[in-house]
Amino acid sequence: KGYGLANRTSGARVSAESPFLLGSLSKQFTAAAILALEADGKLTVEDSLGRFFPEAPPATRRLTLEQLLAHTSGLPYFSQRDFFESRPRDSVMREMLELPLAFSPGSKYLYSSPGYTLLAGVLERVSGQRFEDYMTSRIFERAGLTSTRCLAPSMRDTADLALVHSYSSDQDEGDMLPLRDMSKSVGAGSVVSTVADLGRWAEALAGDRVLPAAQPAKLFTPQVAMNATVSYAFGWMVVRSSRGTTLYFHGGDIGGWNAEMRIDRDAALVIVFLSNSR
């Protein structure tokens, strides 16, 4: 269902098919795409970043895809330059490769969006396709997602993206179309979807339409402790619920766009929450 207003000025209401920017909830799709490449024999998550970016500085070349996926690479939370600036993709990748590491890779957890941007770069070099095109054909279409896409300057069919505005308190931040040029969000926060599509995505991950059996298991297997109770897998957080079930979840947050998804397979329960209001 949809609740409340998509546009406070026009009075347009939110529906279950209204598109929302997912922010960091997008990372699970990037993780699934890397595992799809592994399933197709194009790479392994144990591969070093240097295999795909030989021009990277020595310390960064030694990072593994597994470390990028689990946020144990030592790369920082965000890049040092403006996150919202528009840059050519090659330039963005060079910037991410040159970021200093905060600790010895693999030694602990530090959430890093630049790590997932570099995973998008790996995907492009391995597949020979733009990140957005690969995601559409290999991930979204196979999962049966009809309204999910990546923000990009070249994207088509954008009429519905203008219908929903982002609000931080009383400030109308407008629709998501201006964010198509937000080049640093690729791989880390650029996916747009609906509650209906994310429900279908949960179903796809429970089957083998997108990934063969071994890969979803990797997607949800805890890799590193975030704190005393929560672990991080590949694009998903994992926690034991108060009812003794295992809960897989992640959130996303850019401006007024807020998202959260939770899967509790033991309870046969999926919760998807998308909001345009902070």
Side-chain angles (χ1 to χ4, degrees):
K1 284 187 75 171
Y3 302 86
L5 297 177
N7 186 317
R8 296 176 186 175
T9 301
S10 69
R13 300 193 64 80
V14 169
S15 77
E17 297 298 340
S18 295
F20 290 82
L21 181 60
L22 300 186
S24 286
L25 194 60
S26 306
K27 289 181 172 69
Q28 61 178 286
F29 290 101
T30 302
I34 292 294
L35 292 181
L37 288 169
E38 183 177 62
D40 295 341
K42 302 294 180 62
L43 54 73
T44 73
V45 295
E46 292 81 19
D47 286 339
S48 70
L49 196 57
R51 175 186 167 188
F52 313 101
F53 288 99
E55 72 274 24
T60 309
R61 277 203 303 271
R62 291 192 289 270
L63 300 180
T64 66
L65 304 187
E66 196 170 36
Q67 290 166 347
L68 297 175
L69 287 162
H71 299 295
T72 60
S73 66
L75 286 167
Y77 178 50
F78 274 135
S79 61
Q80 296 165 328
R81 295 176 52 146
D82 182 8
F83 180 73
F84 293 97
E85 68 179 345
S86 177
R87 303 259 301 285
R89 187 154 297 175
D90 286 349
S91 174
V92 168
M93 295 302 162
R94 283 196 301 273
E95 179 188 345
M96 303 303 159
L97 290 169
E98 292 169 1
L99 290 171
L101 303 183
F103 52 80
S104 176
S107 63
K108 60 182 179 179
Y109 169 87
L110 177 64
Y111 191 86
S112 173
S113 285
Y116 270 75
T117 296
L118 286 172
L119 288 169
V122 168
L123 184 153
E124 291 191 333
R125 292 199 170 190
V126 172
S127 69
Q129 294 179 269
R130 292 280 287 179
F131 174 80
E132 295 81 4
D133 296 334
Y134 182 89
M135 296 301 290
T136 297
S137 61
R138 182 62 178 82
I139 304 298
F140 302 153
E141 289 181 356
R142 289 200 188 191
L145 310 185
T146 58
S147 301
T148 303
R149 69 214 101 150
C150 298
L151 288 180
S154 60
M155 70 186 304
R156 299 180 295 276
D157 302 324
T158 59
D160 62 329
L161 302 187
L163 300 178
V164 186
H165 282 216
S166 165
Y167 296 92
S168 292
S169 297
D170 292 329
Q171 181 182 356
D172 185 345
E173 299 166 332
D175 60 51
M176 67 187 81
L177 287 174
L179 300 179
R180 287 178 295 176
D181 293 326
M182 193 172 60
S183 52
K184 293 183 185 179
S185 68
V186 61
S190 61
V191 175
V192 175
S193 192
T194 66
V195 290
D197 257 12
L198 289 174
R200 287 186 279 269
W201 174 238
E203 292 177 358
L205 290 176
D208 59 3
R209 292 203 310 272
V210 179
L211 298 171
Q215 265 62 39
K218 278 190 175 183
L219 198 67
F220 294 111
T221 299
Q223 301 292 321
V224 60
M226 297 172 62
N227 54 45
T229 58
V230 183
S231 297
Y232 204 91
F234 290 165
W236 288 93
M237 299 174 191
V238 186
V239 68
R240 199 75 175 158
S241 78
S242 59
R243 292 177 293 113
T245 61
T246 300
L247 187 68
Y248 308 101
F249 68 101
H250 210 287
D253 181 6
I254 296 179
W257 306 107
N258 290 267
E260 180 142 354
M261 183 170 180
R262 302 182 181 193
I263 298 176
D264 187 334
R265 287 182 175 158
D266 300 326
L269 179 67
V270 175
I271 299 174
V272 177
F273 171 80
L274 304 177
S275 174
N276 63 331
S277 179
R278 177 175 295 281

